[in-house]
Amino acid sequence: MSLELKNLSILKQGSTIFDPVNLVIKPGEITTIMGPSGCGKSTLLSAVSGNLDKIFSLKGSIRLSGQDMADLPMEKRNIGILFQDDLLFPHMDIGSNLAFAIKEKTSRAQRKTIIDNALKTAGLKGFEKRDPSSLSGGQKARISLLRSLLAKPSALLLDEPFSKLDQTLKAKIRRFVFSQIKKMNIPALLVTHDPMDCPEGGMILNLNKEKG
Amino acid sequence: MSGQAKGRIFPVVVISFFCVTILAGLFGTLLPSLNYLPVIGYTRISLSAWFDFFSYPGIQASFLVTVFSGITASVGVVSLAFLFITFSYGTALWKFFEKILSPVLSIPHAAFAVGFGFLIAPSGWFIRMVSPALTGFTIPPDWIILNDPAGVSLTIALVIKEFPFLIMVTMGALGQLDIKKTLLVGRALGYSKEQIWLKILIPRLYPHLRLSIFAVIAYSLSVVDMAIILGPSSPSSLSVLILKWFNDPDVSFKLLAAAGSLFLFVIVLLSILCVYFMERAVGVFLRPWITNGNRRCFLSPLKPIIFFMGCGTLFFTAVSSVILVIWSLTWQWRFPDFLPTTWTLTFWAKGLMSSFDPVMTTLFTGVASAFIGLLLAIGCLEHEVAAGKTKTRNYTGYLHYFLYLPLLVPQITFMAGIQFFLVIMKLDGYWISLMVSHLLFVLPYMFIALSATYLAFYERVTDQAMLLKRSYIIVLFRVKLPMLIKPILFSFAIGFSVSVAQYIPTMLVGAGRFSTITTEVVSIASGSDRRAIAVYALIQQFLPMVMYAFAIILPKILYYNRKGMQV
C-alpha cells in the first residue's frame, strides 16, 4: 500500500517543468514537497490525483499499491485530497457532508456510528446538524479532513492545507492531520512552501529544475 | 446598516411600476369577471360570467389541453436542461452552446412556430424529404400533426423554444457556484462528474433557477402566439380561447374573457404552488439518496439521448429558419418534391412593401422600450453596487423578486386588466402605453442578462477614476459604461428582441390601432399562402438579429485599436 512516483516529470509544450521525481512513500509516512510558487508543486499533485490540465503531459509512472494510476480517471484512483479551502458543501449539514464520503453498503445505523466516532476523534461531538458556515476555521479544517478520510482513500494528498489557518491553530491542526494519517496507515504527499509544515522525520523533496 | 444607498430612486421606480401595473392588471380583470364593465353598460355585480365560462361548450377540453401541454412542456424542458448540463458541462458541446445561445434565443416565438409548422405539417419538409421514396405519398397524408387536438406539436415546440432560455439562466447562475472545486472535491471522494452534478450541484443550482422555472411554467400554460400557430384549434387552449373572446364583435364576451383569464391565472398559481411543495417533498425524499454513498450513476445510459435531444433543439431551430428562407423564395413547389421547382423574389418584394408600417412600429417600440429598460437596469445595478460598497440599506433584495412578477402572471390576465383601466383613463391606443406595456417584459430580461457581468465589474477601476476625476457621473459615463459596452449592447439587443416578440401586449394595449410585425405574422399564419407567411416570419426573425449583430460589431469598431477591449 505505498505510493510510488518513478521518473515522474510533467511536460508543457515539450519541455519538462521540473526534474524527474523519484519517490516511494510507505503507508503512514508523509513526504513533503517544497519549492517556491510556480515551481510546479500543485501541478505535480494534480498529476497524482488525476486532475492534470490538458495543456500538460505526463512522463514516468505513478503507482499506488502496485497499480498503475496513469489511465484511471480521478474518481477511480481512490486518492483523497485535502485543500487549503475547506470546500464543505454549504447546503448540507456537517453530518451529511461526512455521510457523502462514506462508501456504499453501510447501513444507516453503521453510518451514524461512523460519523459519531469521526466527530468524537476531532473533538466535535454533536456537530452533525450544524451548518458548515457556523464553524470556525479550525473546525472546518478538521471536518474537511475527516470527510476525505471517511472515503477510505488508499493515499492522501495535502495541497497547502494549513496555509489559511492562523499561527496558533496551524500547529494544532497539523498534529491532528498527521496523527490521523498515521492512524489510517496510508501514504501522504504534502505540498507546502512553509518549512514549519513538514512533519518530524518525514522526507522532504525540493522541487527544482536544473538550468541548462 | 445606516443611511440608504444612493440611486435608490431606480429600484423604487421599478418596483412601484411593476406593482402598480400588475395589481391594476389583476384588479382590472377581476371587475369585468364579476360583471362590472361600465363602458359597455354592465354595472351589476354578479357571478354570471363565471357560470357562463364554466358551462361554455368544450371548456373542459380546452382546460385539459392547456394543462397537458403546459405541464408536459415545463417538466420536459426542466428535466432536459438539468440532465443536459449534467452530461455536457465542460465539454465542447457546452462551449458551443455558450456561443450559439444568443442568436437562438433572439428568434421570436411566432417566427419559430411558423417554421416549425412548415417542417412537421403533413405537407411539410420532413415528409417531403422521405416522400415518395420511403412513404409512397404523392399527396400529403391526412394526418393531424399540426394543430393536433392533444397539443403535442405545441408542447414539443415549447420545449425547443424554452430550452435555450433555461440554459442561459443556468449559465448565469453557474458563476455563483464553485463548480470547479466542487467537482474536484467530489471526484477525490470517488464520485464521477455526473453524480456530483446530480447529488451536489443541481440541488445547489435549483434555488437560483426557481423563479425562471416558475416563469417557464407560467409561459407554457398561457402562451398565445405559438398556440395559435401550432396548438389545437377546436377546442383551442384556454389562452387562445380567451383572446378570441376579447376580440369578439359581441362585446359581452369580454366578461367571459375576464373570467377565463383569471381562471388561467389560478391554474398558473396552483401549478407554481404545486411545484413549490414538490420541491420540498423531493428534497425530503432525496436527502437519504444523496448521502447513501452510492457512486454508480444510473443515468449514464441516458447520456447519448440527452445529447441528441439537446442538439435536436438547435437542429430544429436552425432547420425552421432554413425552411422559412426556402418558402420565402418559392414560386412553385409541388408536394413530394424536396425543393421548389421555380423560385422568385416576388414575395419578398411584396412583403417588404406591405410590412413597412408594422416594421417601423416594431422598431420604434423595441428601441424605445429597450433604451428605457437599459437606463432603469443600469440605475438599479448602480444602486446595488453602491449598496455593496457602503453596506447601506438598499432595495436590491426586493427588486430581484419583483422583477420576475410580470413573467409569473399570464400576460393575457393582466394585460386585459390594464386595458380596462387605460380605457377608463382614455389612454388606450396610444403608442406610449404600448411601449410601456412592452417595457414590463423587456426590463426583467435585460436585467437578468446584464446583472452578472455588471456586478462582476472590477470596482477598483471606478475607485481609481473617482480619485482622478471626482465626478461620479463623469466616471460612470466616461470610464465604467464604455468598459462595459459589450454586455450593455447585448442586454439592449435582448430587450429589443423581447419587445419584438411581444404579441399579447400589442394586441390588447394597442387596442387594434398598432400592428407590429409579430401581430402580422400571427394573424396571417393561419392563412394559406406559405410564401407570404415565410417572408413575414423572416422579417420578424431578422429584426432582433440585426440588433445582435450591431451589439457584436459596434464594440469591435469603436475599440478596434484597443486590445484590452477585444476580450
Side-chain angles (χ1 to χ4, degrees), chain A residues 38-88:
Chain A
C39 72
K41 302 189 297 274
S42 299
T43 317
L44 176 66
L45 266 203
S46 54
V48 178
S49 69
N51 186 45
L52 193 62
D53 199 307
K54 287 197 181 73
I55 58 170
F56 299 108
S57 60
L58 198 68
K59 248 170 65 182
S61 76
I62 305 165
R63 287 173 169 280
L64 182 57
S65 328
Q67 197 195 355
D68 191 7
M69 296 278 114
D71 296 325
L72 285 179
M74 187 176 177
E75 60 267 23
K76 295 267 190 271
R77 294 189 177 193
N78 207 22
I79 296 178
I81 313 177
L82 195 61
F83 300 95
Q84 54 178 295
D85 306 297
D86 56 82
L87 298 176
L88 296 174

Side-chain angles (χ1 to χ4, degrees), chain B residues 489-547:
Chain B
L489 287 176
F490 246 93
S491 150
F492 186 85
I494 288 171
F496 179 79
S497 69
V498 169
S499 165
V500 169
Q502 292 308 314
Y503 176 68
I504 284 294
T506 319
M507 286 297 281
L508 294 180
V509 174
R513 261 173 250 178
F514 297 97
S515 56
T516 61
I517 188 70
T518 303
T519 58
E520 292 295 298
V521 168
V522 177
S523 76
I524 66 165
S526 48
S528 55
D529 199 334
R530 284 187 176 174
R531 299 166 294 189
I533 304 168
V535 170
Y536 267 60
L538 278 176
I539 294 173
Q540 191 204 14
Q541 197 167 326
F542 185 65
L543 291 174
M545 290 275 186
V546 172
M547 213 48 92

Side-chain angles (χ1 to χ4, degrees), chain A:
Chain A
M1 273 261 292
S2 51
L3 181 65
E4 287 176 57
L5 310 182
K6 213 169 171 183
N7 266 327
L8 188 74
S9 51
I10 295 168
L11 292 90
K12 190 183 176 184
Q13 290 160 346
S15 61
T16 55
I17 55 174
F18 48 75
D19 295 336
V21 173
N22 279 294
L23 260 184
V24 179
I25 313 173
K26 296 209 178 78
E29 278 186 6
I30 302 164
T31 297
T32 310
I33 295 182
M34 299 213 29
S37 53
C39 72
K41 302 189 297 274
S42 299
T43 317
L44 176 66
L45 266 203
S46 54
V48 178
S49 69
N51 186 45
L52 193 62
D53 199 307
K54 287 197 181 73
I55 58 170
F56 299 108
S57 60
L58 198 68
K59 248 170 65 182
S61 76
I62 305 165
R63 287 173 169 280
L64 182 57
S65 328
Q67 197 195 355
D68 191 7
M69 296 278 114
D71 296 325
L72 285 179
M74 187 176 177
E75 60 267 23
K76 295 267 190 271
R77 294 189 177 193
N78 207 22
I79 296 178
I81 313 177
L82 195 61
F83 300 95
Q84 54 178 295
D85 306 297
D86 56 82
L87 298 176
L88 296 174
F89 304 133
H91 63 307
M92 292 179 169
D93 59 23
I94 297 299
S96 303
N97 261 289
L98 294 175
F100 189 76
I102 301 173
K103 296 241 161 103
E104 227 183 335
K105 291 188 186 115
T106 322
S107 74
R108 199 174 281 201
Q110 276 174 310
R111 303 175 91 77
K112 200 178 155 10
T113 4
I114 293 175
I115 293 171
D116 278 348
N117 288 338
L119 286 172
K120 223 179 280 170
T121 53
L124 297 170
K125 202 175 161 224
F127 269 58
E128 285 99 325
K129 294 279 167 233
R130 290 279 293 269
D131 173 6
S133 57
S134 74
L135 269 58
S136 70
Q139 291 170 330
K140 284 187 202 167
R142 274 177 278 170
I143 297 291
S144 192
L145 175 75
L146 291 177
R147 187 175 64 177
S148 296
L149 296 179
L150 284 182
K152 296 232 166 82
S154 313
L156 190 66
L157 307 178
L158 305 135
D159 192 357
E160 309 225 9
F162 315 118
S163 61
K164 279 202 177 162
L165 301 170
D166 58 54
Q167 284 305 329
T168 47
L169 215 51
K170 254 188 190 176
K172 231 172 110 186
I173 299 296
R174 228 183 260 143
R175 272 201 302 279
F176 178 68
V177 170
F178 295 160
S179 70
Q180 290 298 313
I181 292 169
K182 282 253 153 56
K183 212 170 102 191
M184 285 279 290
N185 202 28
I186 50 173
L189 188 58
L190 166 70
V191 156
T192 183
H193 60 263
D194 183 357
M196 293 283 286
D197 281 349
C198 310
E200 267 176 59
M203 210 173 76
I204 298 174
L205 179 83
N206 274 301
L207 210 56
N208 42 33
K209 184 173 160 61
E210 266 176 40
K211 294 202 175 75

